[in-house]
Amino acid sequence: MVARSDVDRVAASSGSLAVQPPVPYAGTAPRDTLGSISTASRRLRALAELSGSLTDLLTAEEAADLVERQALAVLGASSAVVVTLAQAVPNVSADASANGQPLAPTSGRPTDALTLVHAIGLPADVRATLQQFPLDAPLPLAEVARTGEPVFLRSERELRCYAEWGDALIRAGACAAAAVPVWANRHLRGVLGLTWAAPHEFDEDERAFVVSLGVMCAQAIMRGRLTIAERRARETAELANQAKTQFLRTISHELRTPMTAVIGYTGLLADGVSGPVSPLQRDHLRRMRDSSEHMLALIEELLGFAKLDAGEEEVHVERVLAGDVVEEALVLVMPLAQKKGIRVRLEMPDRPIELHTDPLKLRQILVNLLANAVKYTDEGDVVLILRIEGIGAELRIYFEVTDSGHGISAEDQKHIFESFWQVDQTLTRKAGGTGLGLAVARQLARLLGGDVIIARSEVGHGSTFIASLPPRFIPAATPIAIPVAGS
């Protein structure tokens, strides 16, 4: 506000402050041109129009500019300004004041300065004095920030109640002024100030209108700041996610190279290339190789997840038979099943099912689902059922994997597709792995235009997972939900 800035500077220095008259706002509408439109209805329409405009994504400066222009146009003011506190000043009481607004704090340590957000109708030198001024200054703007109560000054006599500030404002050409608090979420955010070039009477409706402008201004400013904060938080999260992906990619690559060498040299020793090997040594070498291959599989899983997470996986479509891909997946899973004494059964139609998809990714989906089923099954069978359902655009190929394992509780089912999550989170868990099998399977299925879901699971009675794919891959296709009822 013009008056406050000038008064602050006057009060802070012993010399006089040269103040130029406020520049009248070009858009101000004279009161005598309103015609038959009532003042009350015009203000209501102005508030409605302003409310609609402030729903847009605005910066604090843009929001203040809209409010100021509306105030100048509707009220015939000559200048307007919005100042804010550097921080929110919280209420110390939940009570409301007589005018329905929250009470300003009377204790604590509030911000000690008010800062300019935006101003209209001010000369450059006057605007410069408003950049920042103390909260305890003997000015209406500062008083409103301290008390939370609006101030209305109708004439030069009332302006002079603020000593040097009033004289400075009168010299600048103002004859009346108003300052209202800018409230949002029961916190004082700042002050809206207005000046008039002629004495001004503030009726009850006009006072309410100015107070409403202050509230709307605060809400818009806070929305703008929250939006900026949200954008920055999202950018920070994206950078962190990129860093995580790069770390996984780098560490997986660095671990894979020496692990491949360990497997190679272990095989050479077991084959007797470097000399005779006893049966006991050969058994130890076999165990070393099995452990190394398991480690390499985990590394490959991490590397695959990193590529998926970074959106770097490409789909290479081929014409394949679903049965052939299933057989390839079973070859990779059978050693683990045989080691545990688990039987894996396959049920599929007599006629071949043709797919146009990425066979390597489909195989990985099936391997992950089957290996997960075997891992959590101690006895019994794991069954893979291949079926085709639907007609035309609704045609889908389903791969249903059912185990007789531990089962998953309803609460844990909410998390099983989360990356690195496992039912047993303890370091002493019996089942190993990275916790990426199901997460990667679902991401790959969705990449191919399908999905993976848990169709049924009960603690102690096993689980059923279903992967679905369209018969023909369509780039950028929306994943199709799997109807559980058909499982």
Side-chain angles (χ1 to χ4, degrees):
M1 182 175 177
V2 176
R4 294 202 176 173
S5 285
D6 297 338
V7 174
D8 282 334
R9 297 298 182 178
V10 171
S13 63
S14 57
S16 60
L17 174 67
V19 182
Q20 297 183 12
V23 178
Y25 176 58
T28 299
R31 291 179 177 269
D32 55 4
T33 61
L34 297 181
S36 60
I37 302 177
S38 70
T39 301
S41 62
R42 184 166 177 262
R43 289 171 183 164
L44 287 175
R45 187 169 59 185
L47 285 177
E49 179 182 342
L50 181 60
S51 178
S53 301
L54 292 178
T55 58
D56 298 332
L57 181 59
L58 302 172
T59 64
E61 293 77 10
E62 291 169 340
D65 178 71
L66 277 176
V67 172
E68 290 167 353
R69 291 181 182 277
Q70 196 67 271
L72 295 177
V74 176
L75 300 173
S78 56
S79 70
V81 66
V82 172
V83 294
T84 60
L85 297 166
Q87 300 176 350
V89 181
N91 274 339
V92 296
S93 171
D95 297 332
S97 64
N99 61 7
Q101 295 297 331
L103 293 172
T106 57
S107 63
R109 188 176 180 180
T111 305
D112 60 359
L114 291 162
T115 303
L116 175 69
V117 174
H118 192 269
I120 291 179
L122 302 178
D125 57 340
V126 175
R127 185 190 183 97
T129 65
L130 291 172
Q131 296 304 314
Q132 192 172 77
F133 56 92
L135 185 64
D136 58 358
L139 312 173
L141 285 173
E143 178 182 321
V144 171
R146 293 192 302 268
T147 66
E149 296 292 339
V151 171
F152 297 94
L153 306 172
R154 299 169 296 178
S155 63
E156 293 184 6
R157 183 177 63 82
E158 293 185 2
L159 290 178
R160 289 195 174 94
C161 292
Y162 290 89
E164 295 181 0
W165 176 84
D167 291 337
L169 199 58
I170 292 170
R171 291 197 301 271
C175 293
V180 296
V182 171
W183 289 101
N185 300 329
R186 299 187 64 82
H187 286 77
L188 183 65
R189 307 296 182 179
V191 181
L192 167 66
L194 301 168
T195 63
W196 283 261
H200 195 81
E201 291 293 330
F202 301 93
D203 59 31
E204 184 177 347
D205 289 341
E206 188 169 66
R207 291 176 184 238
F209 176 76
V210 178
V211 170
S212 298
L213 288 179
V215 174
M216 296 174 71
C217 180
Q219 293 172 345
I221 288 175
M222 292 308 301
R223 279 198 301 269
R225 289 179 175 173
L226 288 174
T227 300
I228 293 174
E230 179 186 2
R231 185 184 301 121
R232 289 174 179 171
R234 185 167 56 249
E235 291 172 352
T236 301
E238 290 173 354
L239 290 175
N241 190 53
Q242 292 173 9
K244 177 203 69 177
T245 302
Q246 182 60 39
F247 169 77
L248 290 175
R249 185 189 297 114
T250 301
I251 199 67
S252 299
H253 175 75
E254 294 300 323
L255 290 175
R256 183 174 56 175
T257 301
M259 191 56 62
T260 303
V262 169
I263 294 173
Y265 283 113
T266 302
L268 291 175
L269 289 173
D271 292 340
V273 174
S274 301
V277 180
S278 68
L280 181 59
Q281 291 172 330
R282 183 171 287 107
D283 183 62
H284 289 167
L285 289 171
R286 179 186 60 79
R287 293 174 184 273
M288 289 174 58
R289 181 162 186 168
D290 288 347
S291 297
S292 299
E293 288 178 344
H294 177 65
M295 177 69 75
L296 185 60
L298 296 179
I299 294 171
E300 292 289 353
E301 195 170 38
L302 281 173
L303 186 59
F305 171 76
K307 293 177 66 177
L308 269 173
D309 200 44
E312 297 176 354
E313 279 285 5
E314 296 181 357
V315 177
H316 302 282
V317 179
E318 298 179 19
R319 175 188 171 276
V320 296
L321 295 178
D324 292 345
V325 181
V326 168
E327 291 292 342
E328 293 174 6
L330 288 175
V331 169
L332 296 175
V333 176
M334 285 307 295
L336 175 62
Q338 292 170 354
K339 185 176 180 179
K340 295 188 66 176
I342 304 298
R343 185 175 65 164
V344 179
R345 294 191 292 110
L346 174 62
E347 298 179 11
M348 54 189 302
D350 294 332
R351 64 185 181 89
I353 299 177
E354 185 177 288
L355 283 164
H356 291 263
T357 191
D358 189 321
L360 294 181
K361 290 180 174 55
L362 174 56
R363 186 181 69 184
Q364 187 64 54
I365 293 169
L366 297 177
V367 167
N368 287 11
L369 293 180
L370 288 168
N372 194 72
V374 171
K375 182 193 302 183
Y376 292 102
T377 300
D378 295 328
E379 58 181 17
D381 295 348
V382 171
V383 182
L384 170 58
I385 300 175
L386 174 61
R387 69 177 190 272
I388 183 169
E389 294 181 2
I391 301 175
E394 301 299 321
L395 187 65
R396 290 292 178 273
I397 290 88
Y398 295 92
F399 304 84
E400 181 177 306
V401 178
T402 301
D403 63 65
S404 56
H406 305 161
I408 306 167
S409 68
E411 181 62 29
D412 288 338
Q413 289 179 32
K414 303 174 184 177
H415 306 285
I416 56 174
F417 290 106
E418 296 176 5
S419 303
F420 303 105
W421 191 91
Q422 293 181 320
V423 173
D424 186 356
Q425 299 288 323
T426 65
L427 296 177
T428 58
R429 62 180 182 267
K430 295 181 179 180
T434 60
L436 289 173
L438 293 176
V440 169
R442 168 172 276 187
Q443 290 186 56
L444 288 173
R446 289 180 172 180
L447 184 65
L448 298 178
D451 202 358
V452 172
I453 67 166
I454 179 170
R456 177 197 63 82
S457 188
E458 184 179 350
V459 176
H461 297 279
S463 307
T464 297
F465 287 84
I466 300 177
S468 73
L469 288 181
R472 183 177 295 274
F473 170 74
I474 301 175
T478 303
I480 302 298
I482 302 174
V484 179
S487 60

